[in-house]
Amino acid sequence: AQSVTQPDIHITVSEGASLELRCNYSYGATPYLFWYVQSPGQGLQLLLKYFSGDTLVQGIKGFEAEFKRSQSSFNLRKPSVHWSDAAEYFCAVGASNFGNEKLTFGTGTRLTIIP
Amino acid sequence: EAGVAQSPRYKIIEKRQSVAFWCNPISGHATLYWYQQILGQGPKLLIQFQNNGVVDDSQLPKDRFSAERLKGVDSTLKIQPAKLEDSAVYLCASSLTQGETQYFGPGTRLLVL
């Protein structure tokens, strides 16, 4: 069975600083990987996804993530954070032939932005 | 394009009571998902529908939880009777079909006292 580990429960970053959120996955085959963001009281919004091809994936809101098979990682990065980036971030791995089914989520990383 | 709609947004009940949640997916989306998100955890899939058929309900506690999507559009999730540990946010998501990107609704926050 697949699993996702987000080792950082809470991260605090200064506005304008760079950001990296860690995600490690466990899955026996080629994984389908996702990053979602959840603002308070809101549903999850897809930031980006990796199915195959280029291992550096660009997403919305200036985010990117890099798939590293050798490290079983899919870390999320942003060069300069904005106060509006404060939210909960979830990494997820999808299994099955279709890729999007049976998403398994990590426990999330809460991002706080300080002025 | 309207997003996934859910109601109610908040619900407080006492244990052993019943509760129902409603979800209206994005128009034309054949696949519908219900997730349970307990505080401090990521969402966990409860059930997945393809049109009005169940694709996966392996993690649905069937002794107390039930869900239906009779006409292949709206869906309801019911808990009867509720337990304290059912306190969570219940998220509905939909996708055009299996394998497509899932779009999430705002969720229903349930508190069981």
Side-chain angles (χ1 to χ4, degrees):
Chain A
Q2 66 267 28
S3 66
V4 176
T5 300
Q6 294 181 250
D8 303 306
I9 296 174
H10 185 204
I11 285 183
T12 300
V13 178
S14 297
E15 189 169 15
S18 64
L19 170 71
E20 182 169 27
L21 302 182
R22 296 183 292 166
C23 172
N24 294 98
Y25 69 89
S26 173
Y27 184 57
T30 300
Y32 302 91
L33 297 161
F34 308 81
W35 275 100
Y36 283 86
V37 61
Q38 185 176 36
S39 298
Q42 303 296 316
L44 280 77
Q45 180 183 23
L46 181 67
L47 285 175
L48 47 81
K49 59 187 177 184
Y50 171 79
F51 280 8
S52 65
D54 193 347
T55 57
L56 185 62
V57 181
Q58 302 298 321
I60 62 171
K61 304 185 179 184
F63 286 93
E64 66 177 26
E66 186 171 12
F67 170 58
K68 293 185 177 180
R69 184 186 298 275
S70 61
Q71 298 177 21
S72 298
S73 69
F74 189 57
N75 293 350
L76 181 71
R77 301 193 295 249
K78 187 171 184 177
S80 176
V81 298
H82 186 262
W83 64 266
S84 59
D85 293 326
E88 187 101 21
Y89 291 80
F90 291 92
C91 181
V93 61
S96 92
N97 294 331
F98 297 105
N100 252 4
E101 297 180 78
K102 299 187 76 69
L103 286 181
T104 298
F105 287 84
T107 52
T109 297
R110 184 159 60 94
L111 176 63
T112 298
I113 308 295
I114 56 176
Chain B
E1 177 181 82
V4 177
Q6 291 187 247
S7 68
R9 293 295 309 276
Y10 305 92
K11 189 75 176 178
I12 300 174
I13 62 173
E14 295 187 349
K15 60 183 179 183
R16 291 187 290 275
Q17 286 187 322
S18 62
V19 64
F21 312 128
W22 174 81
C23 172
N24 186 22
I26 294 172
S27 178
H29 280 197
T31 312
L32 186 147
Y33 311 79
W34 283 102
Y35 288 85
Q36 179 191 57
Q37 186 179 15
I38 293 172
L39 188 64
Q41 299 181 19
K44 182 184 79 171
L45 180 68
L46 292 176
I47 189 167
Q48 176 186 345
F49 292 94
Q50 179 69 13
N51 297 310
N52 60 353
V54 175
V55 175
D56 183 356
D57 63 357
S58 58
Q59 298 191 95
L60 186 73
K62 299 181 187 61
D63 58 332
R64 298 183 300 106
F65 286 65
S66 64
E68 59 183 16
R69 194 184 184 200
L70 294 176
K71 297 183 179 179
V73 181
D74 293 6
S75 177
T76 57
L77 175 70
K78 297 179 182 178
I79 308 175
Q80 182 179 12
K83 292 185 176 181
L84 297 177
E85 58 262 36
D86 297 332
S87 294
V89 176
Y90 291 85
L91 295 165
C92 179
S94 70
S95 62
L96 194 60
T97 188
Q98 295 179 92
E100 297 293 329
T101 297
Q102 296 183 31
Y103 295 89
F104 284 80
T108 296
R109 187 175 298 274
L110 173 68
L111 178 60
V112 182
L113 302 175

